[in-house]
Amino acid sequence: MTTRHHGETEARAEGFEGRIEDVFEWITDHARQVVIGVVAFLVVGGTAGGVWEWSQRRAAVAQSDLAAVQITYNLAMGSSVRSVFVAEPANADQAVRARDEAVAGFEAVSRDYPGSVASSLAQIRAAELEIELGRADAAQTRLEAAAAELDADDLVRGVALRLRGYALEELERWDEAGIAYAAAAGVQGYPDRPSVWLAAAGSYARAGDSDGAADAYQQILELDPAFAESQQVTERLNALGGGGLPGGAPEPTGLPAGEPAR
């Protein structure tokens, strides 16, 4: 049950989910340090030390609840507990129910642990499932709100904005997609920024915004000349004045460059 508009959508979604999973894993591995950094300034004396310990425990419980929702979803879809790419069951109604229940579960985690890393990740995961359910508009609204609650240089904000760009692509709201991708690429610590700038350029070009596309291509040339060469960025940039992409150049998308079709 989807409303996607291009043939490569399934491969793109899985590839994007793989990238999201990689980032989630990094954040999970470092979540304890993140929490410590946020509350360390409170650790002055016994009372503040108690607050610090409580925060650590709360973060651990939040992560556990987040993982529990994902495990339940995997099993409901007929996949193994540790599956990264969840197989689509033969029964379409089963898939819809599983996704609906998982969205509700992730929303509950977000409500129970407001302001936490787990809350932000839960909102992102819920939005992913909404896109798969053909609810890209609801997903992009959810992601916009999630990103607004995060610091400008927060890695999770980059994840939310990149996925929002993808949701806006599904809605063919190209200019907004370009803006979302550009904002994600602007997060300094976000991995694979050149690919996100490439997605921004593609969306701007589809929107007829040559200036926006040109700026995005220039960002790629400055960030990663080797990637720019592999993606024919100079040719793309030159082609903007000629009304299109160079012959044979792949269309930019929200996927990391070179992501294999699945």
Side-chain angles (χ1 to χ4, degrees):
M1 174 181 282
T2 61
T3 58
R4 301 184 182 184
H5 61 271
H6 41 62
E8 64 184 11
T9 298
E10 181 177 358
R12 295 180 57 208
E14 290 181 350
F16 193 93
E17 185 172 338
R19 174 64 59 177
I20 292 289
E21 292 290 346
D22 290 342
V23 176
F24 280 11
E25 182 177 352
W26 184 94
I27 292 171
T28 299
D29 290 343
H30 294 80
R32 183 177 297 275
Q33 293 93 316
V34 172
V35 173
I36 290 173
V38 171
V39 303
F41 73 97
L42 295 174
V43 187
V44 181
T47 301
V51 172
W52 179 74
E53 291 176 3
W54 174 83
S55 297
Q56 284 189 300
R57 288 196 299 271
R58 183 172 181 270
V61 173
Q63 292 174 57
S64 177
D65 287 357
L66 183 65
V69 176
Q70 183 64 48
I71 288 169
T72 301
Y73 169 68
N74 283 19
L75 294 174
M77 292 286 282
S79 293
S80 70
V81 168
R82 296 183 180 276
S83 293
V84 174
F85 298 108
V86 177
E88 196 72 16
N91 187 323
D93 291 338
Q94 175 187 346
V96 171
R97 285 194 302 272
R99 288 187 170 101
D100 278 333
E101 290 170 2
V103 168
F106 287 124
E107 287 177 337
V109 171
S110 185
R111 286 195 306 270
D112 290 345
Y113 305 99
S116 68
V117 173
S119 174
S120 298
L121 297 182
Q123 290 287 5
I124 292 169
R125 191 69 184 99
E128 282 190 281
L129 295 176
E130 285 177 325
I131 293 172
E132 292 172 5
L133 285 163
R135 303 170 191 165
D137 196 26
Q140 72 84 18
T141 299
R142 181 190 298 277
L143 292 162
E144 181 180 31
E149 295 179 354
L150 297 166
D151 292 339
D153 59 350
D154 193 319
L155 174 66
V156 182
R157 179 172 175 270
V159 176
L161 289 168
R162 185 174 188 175
L163 185 58
R164 181 169 186 254
Y166 179 79
L168 289 164
E169 277 191 342
E170 293 294 284
L171 296 167
E172 299 186 10
R173 290 160 59 176
W174 306 117
D175 187 58
E176 292 175 82
I179 292 170
Y181 282 134
V187 176
Q188 294 300 310
Y190 188 79
D192 205 20
R193 291 172 65 203
S195 285
V196 189
W197 278 120
L198 189 63
S203 292
Y204 281 135
R206 292 185 184 97
D209 183 355
S210 296
D211 289 341
D215 180 67
Y217 286 137
Q218 289 288 357
Q219 294 286 344
I220 299 168
L221 288 167
E222 293 173 13
L223 278 173
D224 193 337
F227 175 84
E229 182 177 1
S230 72
Q231 297 298 312
Q232 298 180 275
V233 167
T234 299
E235 291 85 350
R236 293 175 187 273
L237 187 56
N238 293 336
L240 286 175
L245 294 172
E251 287 284 343
T253 73
L255 277 177
E259 187 69 44
R262 297 179 185 276

